Amino acid sequence: MPETPNNPGHSESEKNTASGSVGNVSFIMLLGAGLISIRRRYIKYYSGKFNVFCKRHNRWEIIYMLDNKITRRVFLGTTLCVVTAPLFATLLNEQNNLQKVLMDGQFFNAAELTLLTDVAEIMIPKTDTPGATDAHVIPVLDGLMLTWAGVKSKRQFRFIVAQINDLAKSTYGSVYNKLAFDDRFLLIEQLDKTAFANKKSVLSTHYRRLKEMVFHIYYTSEEANPDFILIPGGYRGSLSKQELDTIQARGYL
Amino acid sequence: MNNKFDVIVVGSGITGGWAAKEFCEKGFKTLVVERGRNLEHPSSEYTDMQAPWNIENRNKVSEVYDEEGRYAAVSGYGYFKNATKQFFADDKEFPYSYPKERPFKWVRGYQLGGRSITWGRQSLRWGKKDFEANAKDGHGVPWPIGYDDLAPWYDYVESFVGVSANKDGLAVLPDGVFQKPWELSAAEQVISDNLKKVFTDRHLVVGRAANITEPTEEQQALGRGQCQARSYCKRGCTFGAYFSSLSATLPAAKRTGNLTIVTDSIVTRVDYDEATGKAKGVTIIDAKTKEKREYQARVVFLCASALGSVQILLNSKSKSFPNGIANSSGAVGHYIMDHFTGVLANAEVPGLDDKFAYGRRPIATYIPNYRHDKTDDADFVRGFGYQATAQHRTDTGTAAKREGIGAAVKDLSKQPGPWRFRTLMYGEMLPYFDNYASLHPTKKDKWGIPLLHIDAQIRDNERKMIKQASIDIQAILKAGGCTDIKLNETPENEHIKIGDRIHEMGGACMGEDPKVSVLNKWAQAHDVPNLFVTDGACMSSCATQNPSLTYMAITVRSVDYAAKLLRKNII
Ligand SMILES: Cc1cc2nc3c(=O)[nH]c(=O)nc-3n(C[C@H](O)[C@H](O)[C@H](O)COP(=O)(O)OP(=O)(O)OC[C@H]3O[C@@H](n4cnc5c(N)ncnc54)[C@H](O)[C@@H]3O)c2cc1C
């Protein structure tokens, strides 16, 4: 019998609990090493170098440009800023509403990153909550290909990009990145259906692996877990929604 | 460095840490020999302060390990993640052996602190009946001690460890010195209350956790703080809120000034003095340089984990003990046990849609063994209990592994779902002489130490238990008020890996009779008076409770006894 990931007694609980908004957290950022104070607790972060973005006039602008590694929302003075992972510079192709990635990544080239970014955003679009692009899913995936992926995965993930392009050509007579948004959406939607209806084909297998990783990265991202509390301070097992919300707003039991 | 000590303790895990603390506090110069690397506390290897997005590889273990055939014993298990992998031994680097058709799972932690860093912290006393079982049904070697012998030592270790638990008043799971318990969730409480209405013998109680909820002065003096309900314990705890050798026993030993620790030092054998009939000390191989060294002491405590100690005993050959030290009985290596499961069930707990949980409780719940006595419906001896949990309501999950993309699918993801209660049978495996560990005749590790070959399996009695546990859990879940019961029973022809529950025990069992047992009632070798084995190897049966608290109680009791012998110059 396979052990379930939540096998009681033996496994680590990965359940994320909800907390107050990021506005409750005061950060002091130091370049290279960050000292972050959360209420009464002090947590030291050692990190690489960052690009620091600030929201001005409703647009994200880079205020420092350094080597970048980690994504974290911080307050600099009173301004909410985002310290971000390797974000790839993009240009919006207004004709087909496609974010074209302008630079090669560490593993994928620019054209592959463009396709993957689009596919990930189709899978998990921005709604009133962040989407895959906001959560930097593809930049993170690009990094994981070097630090996590084995030979087989490297081959599969590269190959699925080519397969999606082939599919685009055979369906619409054009490479994926040139298709109109509606066609791209339909293509991925159909691929998703087929991948779970006919699990045996190579295309299905590769697609399902890509999808699983996109979802894993998204749902472990800070953007997808605004309510996560690192240090809950205690456990309560029988709360009303209102009681839960009050504790979450406080950010600590 | 001086190589003469009063006491040598082999291993720095749960039992070794205790032996070191006790001897040091009693004033004995104590050497702890640990095969793994040194770790400080808090350690830079702890990852408990990392949010999910900060964990390297988003907590996925690199696929390269699988490709290289590394960590095969633990790969894919819930406790083996990127954030915890540093605390598990790689079986490719540290190989062991088993019959092809009966794989054995040996989960180890080779570092200062051993598996005390990654253990699940469920800290349960054994009851009277557990110690009486061997004598009663004739399996294995009768225990030379009973519950009453250990009771004061359970008190003693619990006070220091800090066990957060409820006083449930159950004879099968005796109460002890407890700190404030963790609370049951709404769903667990409903089941617990409902069971009381139907059964007199089946109880759902909250687990007993070695996580402190009310730090004592003693604990605070060691720098230990209150548990913050993060449940990231297996990553190490910066707050020292759960009991480990690193957070508790070793710092206590260190502050006496009597402790010496050598790490990266693999004990290959206990050296025997033919003239005195006693152990002289130990020989080690430096894990890095492969140099040999010897250390001497008046007493040797083996605390290298059950199978680790068995390996050392078997490898300690001399003129008097050609088959391994303290092995005149031929019992060393025999009666290997572990708990086993074979039934996994989960069910919905309806009617609690307005209830939510907050925080991450660091312990599950527990249904203690209620089948010590053979009843009409049982065609087996001994019994089983269940580890269980419904600490949070489920959520709707994501479409990662199912059809569906786009905004609508996203909106429906991770929404609160029903409460579900999950249970896992933990059965008592009988002590079979034929379940044994031996030294491989030809294969050796890179230090030239013969590999341990472990051949163990569950048999008829255990298969019958699985069937019954499957019937029982359905009755329990129904009585608990659950619906939509889903059951997974291991088929009879499927091998169940011993070691899978990580409660491997036996191999140097205690008993009155030196002809059939290795250790006496003090876990002292019948054959070698200054040699003690106080880890899981000394266990004569395995009961159903998680065993480490019992190992601790046995260890401190043995230290107390050995210290008296040392003072009287008897050993
Ligand atoms: C994921 C997990 C969950 C668990 N959950 C629970 C639980 O909830 N409750 C419970 O009671 N138990 C639990 N256990 C089991 C528990 O960890 C062990 O029972 C306990 O650690 C045994 O203590 P020990 O001192 O005998 O061995 P260990 O803690 O394993 O320590 C042995 C030490 O000896 C060292 N060593 C080995 N060989 C040599 C040698 N030749 N020379 C020098 N040093 C050597 C090792 O490196 C290690 O440091 C769990 C274990 C794991 C891994």
Side-chain angles (χ1 to χ4, degrees), chain B residues 23-66:
Chain B
F23 276 122
C24 286
E25 287 180 349
K26 288 176 195 298
F28 295 101
K29 293 287 175 199
T30 304
L31 173 71
V32 170
V33 188
E34 168 54 52
R35 69 173 295 157
R37 69 197 178 285
N38 181 50
L39 286 182
E40 301 296 332
H41 171 79
S43 166
S44 57
E45 293 188 24
Y46 291 178
T47 52
D48 59 324
M49 287 302 189
Q50 297 179 6
W53 48 92
N54 286 331
I55 302 173
E56 188 191 16
N57 290 345
R58 293 292 168 99
N59 216 8
K60 280 189 175 287
V61 176
S62 166
E63 292 188 327
V64 174
Y65 291 141
D66 273 349

Side-chain angles (χ1 to χ4, degrees), chain B residues 11 13-15 34-35 110-111 114-115 120-122 267 304 535 548:
Chain B
I14 289 187
T15 58
E34 168 54 52
R35 69 173 295 157
Y110 287 165
Q111 61 262 327
R115 289 176 296 178
R121 307 159 317 284
Q122 183 78 270
V267 171
D535 54 32
S548 305

Side-chain angles (χ1 to χ4, degrees), chain A:
Chain A
M1 171 168 37
E3 176 163 343
T4 61
N6 291 316
N7 177 3
H10 275 180
S11 87
E12 178 175 275
S13 162
E14 289 294 351
K15 182 103 191 161
N16 297 337
T17 39
S19 77
S21 75
V22 72
N24 288 336
V25 181
S26 61
F27 285 77
I28 308 157
M29 282 302 303
L30 306 173
L31 291 178
L35 182 69
I36 297 173
S37 100
I38 302 178
R39 297 272 177 83
R40 282 165 288 149
R41 275 167 292 284
Y42 291 89
I43 302 167
K44 220 173 176 183
Y45 281 94
Y46 298 94
S47 46
K49 302 172 195 164
F50 304 121
N51 274 0
V52 180
F53 288 70
C54 267
K55 202 164 192 180
R56 283 189 201 145
H57 315 299
N58 235 8
R59 289 183 48 182
W60 291 107
E61 289 176 12
I62 293 179
I63 54 169
Y64 305 130
M65 191 143 176
L66 298 162
D67 269 3
N68 40 37
K69 284 257 155 53
I70 292 174
T71 304
R72 200 168 293 137
R73 270 176 291 186
V74 299
F75 279 91
L76 290 178
T78 52
T79 321
L80 174 65
C81 299
V82 168
V83 183
T84 183
L87 279 187
F88 303 123
T90 59
L91 192 66
L92 179 67
N93 179 345
E94 283 176 1
Q95 277 174 342
N96 67 352
N97 198 19
L98 180 103
Q99 287 289 347
K100 189 174 175 205
V101 178
L102 300 175
M103 58 206 259
D104 290 346
Q106 301 171 87
F107 179 80
F108 297 109
N109 65 31
E112 289 169 329
L113 289 171
T114 300
L115 181 146
L116 287 167
T117 304
D118 194 66
V119 169
E121 186 67 19
I122 286 175
M123 287 175 175
I124 309 173
K126 184 184 186 83
T127 52
D128 54 349
T129 57
T133 310
D134 298 323
H136 316 300
V137 166
I138 297 307
V140 173
L141 177 68
D142 186 58
L144 288 186
M145 296 317 290
L146 300 186
T147 58
W148 158 78
V151 176
K152 192 171 155 200
S153 291
K154 284 187 173 131
R155 214 182 310 125
Q156 282 182 330
F157 278 82
R158 178 148 274 146
F159 197 40
I160 183 66
V161 177
Q163 285 177 305
I164 290 174
N165 258 327
D166 290 347
L167 197 64
K169 280 188 246 167
S170 62
T171 313
Y172 295 106
S174 165
V175 292
Y176 181 89
N177 291 350
K178 294 216 166 123
L179 297 182
F181 176 79
D182 288 353
D183 293 342
R184 300 198 307 271
F185 184 88
L186 279 175
L187 189 84
I188 300 304
E189 191 179 46
Q190 192 53 47
L191 179 55
D192 190 76
K193 281 201 177 102
T194 318
F196 288 90
N198 168 18
K199 289 199 169 172
K200 290 221 171 99
S201 82
V202 177
L203 174 62
S204 294
T205 308
H206 291 179
Y207 171 81
R208 286 200 313 276
R209 289 220 66 208
L210 172 67
K211 182 178 185 190
E212 202 178 322
M213 272 316 277
V214 165
F215 275 63
H216 177 74
I217 296 168
Y218 177 78
Y219 283 105
T220 53
S221 72
E222 186 172 13
E223 287 73 11
N225 293 285
D227 294 337
F228 173 79
I229 296 184
L230 186 64
I231 304 173
Y235 170 78
R236 290 289 176 271
S238 183
L239 298 169
S240 67
K241 183 78 173 73
Q242 200 189 358
E243 288 168 327
L244 177 68
D245 289 345
T246 308
I247 299 172
Q248 284 174 344
R250 201 163 56 227
Y252 190 73
L253 190 67

